[in-house]
Amino acid sequence: MRVFASVLLLLPLSSGLPAAEKPRLENQGLRLEVDPSDASAHLLDKRTGAEWNLGAPRLVMKDKTTAPVRLSGAVTVRGGTLSYRTDKGMQFQFKLAANPSAVDYSFDQPAADVAEVLLLDKSLTIEPGADNYFAIPNRLGILLPVEGDKPYTRRFPAYSGSGYSMAMFGTVKNGSALLAAWEDPYTVPSADYTVAPQRRLSMTLSLSRSARTVRLEPLGRGGYVEVSKAYRPIAREHGYLKTLAEKMREKPDVARFFGAADFKPRVFMRDVPNTRYNRTDKERLNISFTFEESADLAEHFAKDLGIDRALFVLSGWINGSYDNKHPDILPAAPEIGGDQALIAASRRVHALGKGWVFGLHDNYQDFYKDAPSWNEDYIMKNPDGSLHAGGVWAGGLAYLICSRK
């Protein structure tokens, strides 16, 4: 990525200089300034005049205490890079990028007693307003407006049900948008909402282990759509982007999903004893639909209700039922008809027309100890060598499969 800058000054720490003359980086799209007294930074979007407070980084120590960053020596600007060192020997750096105009904000190896770095600490603050919100890429997307009577902190861990599904978030203030993006999954954003003395919403960005950098890209006028469009070339660069148009060129049947109703009957459940789903000492079975009854249901939707486009996906069809005995999914559950009945149901659904798609819910992550193929060699390991546990589901405690194996 090409880097360039119009470097305005190289400023050592000096009490004799005017307070307004802060170290800065600048190009045609943005201006970044750092206050040498406390390392707080501000980012200006030249297209809209929007100012984004980046605050000062904060350190979370291994004993769980926090400490501010204290500068040691000068703030320097060389080429397109602004940097400073701290009393712990860490270097923080801002680096200008072009096409698009952005800033890469990073630090080097943390001190031995530092567990994580809050590169943004209650920063990018926004106040109530129709065009003020954070956009989080979770499922179809979460918009966090500045509203509510109770304060909260909400974390968005990497690639989890409650966290982010893409390594980015967007923020919009008075109709001006900004994209924050990163690569390392040990980067965790947290939204902080306060109600007193006034309602404000800010973002904290925690970096731990191997995480070192975040890109901040002012986007001019826009909202979550412009944030998404700005992230698209980043996703493509890393091989994450494949549009529906591209998928349809490879597999034209993808077009059958458009406008389709989504039905997902959970046909069979087995709850093992002594879990949150079954607090008794006995196994509990629940059959909602046999495979034959599932096909009857699909025919009712199509013939009686006139639904001509649908995605009809069975969950709980596997050997052992929903969330049980993974990854050994076959044969299909004999309790509800077995393999031959499942094949017959599939044929009946497909016979309803080209607008009907038949599918089967599966799970490629969980491994249960009662699975016939159980083997600890395939399980992710914790740093101490113990097995990495997943969730406790209908089939009991699941362990997470190592994707590399």
Side-chain angles (χ1 to χ4, degrees):
M1 193 172 294
R2 294 186 296 116
V3 179
F4 70 96
S6 171
V7 181
L8 301 184
L9 59 100
L10 172 59
L11 177 65
L13 294 174
S14 173
S15 60
L17 293 173
E21 295 186 18
K22 296 177 181 177
R24 64 171 59 174
L25 295 173
E26 190 167 6
N27 63 20
Q28 81 283 3
L30 61 84
R31 182 170 69 240
L32 176 116
E33 293 184 340
V34 172
D35 188 335
S37 67
D38 61 4
S40 61
H42 288 81
L43 182 62
L44 172 70
D45 185 339
K46 289 186 174 181
R47 285 168 289 186
T48 63
E51 294 188 9
W52 303 96
N53 73 307
L54 307 184
R58 193 169 185 83
L59 307 179
V60 180
M61 315 308 289
K62 290 184 176 178
D63 63 4
K64 305 301 182 183
T65 61
T66 64
V69 165
R70 295 184 176 88
L71 276 67
S72 175
V75 176
T76 61
V77 180
R78 292 191 178 94
T81 302
L82 182 153
S83 62
Y84 60 84
R85 286 203 168 271
T86 72
D87 59 351
K88 288 186 171 292
M90 296 175 61
Q91 178 172 284
F92 288 81
Q93 174 179 283
F94 295 91
K95 189 173 184 179
L96 279 178
N99 297 329
S101 181
V103 174
D104 291 323
Y105 185 15
S106 64
F107 59 93
D108 63 3
Q109 184 67 30
D113 56 348
V114 176
E116 58 187 286
V117 176
L118 306 183
L119 204 56
L120 300 177
D121 181 26
K122 294 182 172 60
S123 303
L124 302 175
T125 306
I126 54 177
E127 297 180 352
D131 294 325
N132 295 357
Y133 57 83
F134 286 103
I136 309 296
N138 174 279
R139 298 182 182 268
L140 292 178
I142 297 174
L143 288 188
L144 294 178
V146 189
E147 63 182 23
D149 296 327
K150 296 182 179 179
Y152 67 81
T153 296
R154 183 172 178 180
R155 296 179 73 251
F156 298 96
Y159 310 117
S160 67
S162 61
Y164 59 82
S165 53
M166 292 179 281
M168 53 83 82
F169 68 82
T171 179
V172 178
K173 179 170 68 174
N174 299 326
S176 295
L178 179 139
L179 168 68
W182 55 90
E183 296 182 22
D184 196 292
Y186 292 110
T187 305
V188 179
S190 300
D192 296 286
Y193 178 60
T194 60
V195 297
Q198 63 187 86
R199 294 181 179 182
R200 288 180 176 173
L201 187 61
S202 61
M203 190 65 73
T204 295
L205 200 63
S206 167
L207 283 70
S208 62
R209 300 194 185 187
S210 54
R212 294 288 184 274
T213 186
V214 60
R215 168 160 288 195
L216 301 170
E217 181 183 340
L219 303 175
R221 302 297 298 178
Y224 65 86
V225 172
E226 286 69 28
V227 169
S228 301
K229 288 180 177 179
Y231 183 69
R232 176 170 284 206
I234 298 174
R236 189 176 291 282
E237 179 184 351
H238 291 92
Y240 302 148
L241 175 65
K242 193 167 191 177
T243 66
L244 283 171
E246 292 169 337
K247 293 177 182 178
M248 284 190 290
R249 283 195 292 269
E250 293 181 6
K251 295 183 178 181
D253 278 349
V254 170
R256 297 165 66 189
F257 292 162
F258 288 97
D262 186 4
F263 297 113
K264 194 173 185 179
R266 186 169 296 180
V267 293
F268 177 38
M269 284 293 298
R270 167 179 171 259
D271 297 318
V272 301
N274 303 309
T275 68
R276 56 178 172 164
Y277 301 101
N278 179 11
R279 300 189 183 279
T280 73
D281 294 327
K282 295 181 179 180
E283 179 180 273
R284 187 169 59 201
L285 301 180
N286 180 38
I287 296 175
S288 299
F289 300 96
T290 65
F291 291 130
E292 182 179 10
E293 290 168 341
S294 299
D296 292 341
L297 179 63
E299 290 177 348
H300 166 66
F301 289 151
K303 297 177 180 180
D304 298 332
L305 302 183
I307 297 173
D308 59 359
R309 296 179 67 84
L311 177 62
F312 193 77
V313 178
L314 302 185
S315 66
W317 64 275
I318 70 171
N319 180 32
S321 88
Y322 187 79
D323 277 349
N324 274 265
K325 296 187 179 180
H326 285 291
D328 298 273
I329 59 176
L330 295 176
E335 294 89 344
I336 55 176
D339 288 348
Q340 293 306 310
L342 175 58
I343 292 170
S346 174
R347 288 172 176 166
R348 287 173 61 187
V349 173
H350 285 132
L352 296 174
K354 193 172 180 61
W356 279 77
V357 178
F358 181 77
L360 299 172
H361 172 93
D362 200 355
N363 181 324
Y364 302 99
Q365 174 179 273
D366 293 341
F367 210 141
Y368 290 87
K369 281 191 173 182
D370 62 352
S373 65
W374 170 258
N375 186 334
E376 293 186 1
D377 292 343
Y378 294 114
I379 305 301
M380 293 170 58
K381 304 300 191 298
N382 296 315
D384 63 1
S386 60
L387 302 182
H388 189 87
V392 178
W393 310 113
L397 177 62
Y399 294 86
L400 299 185
I401 294 174
C402 178
S403 58
R404 293 181 178 178
K405 294 189 176 182

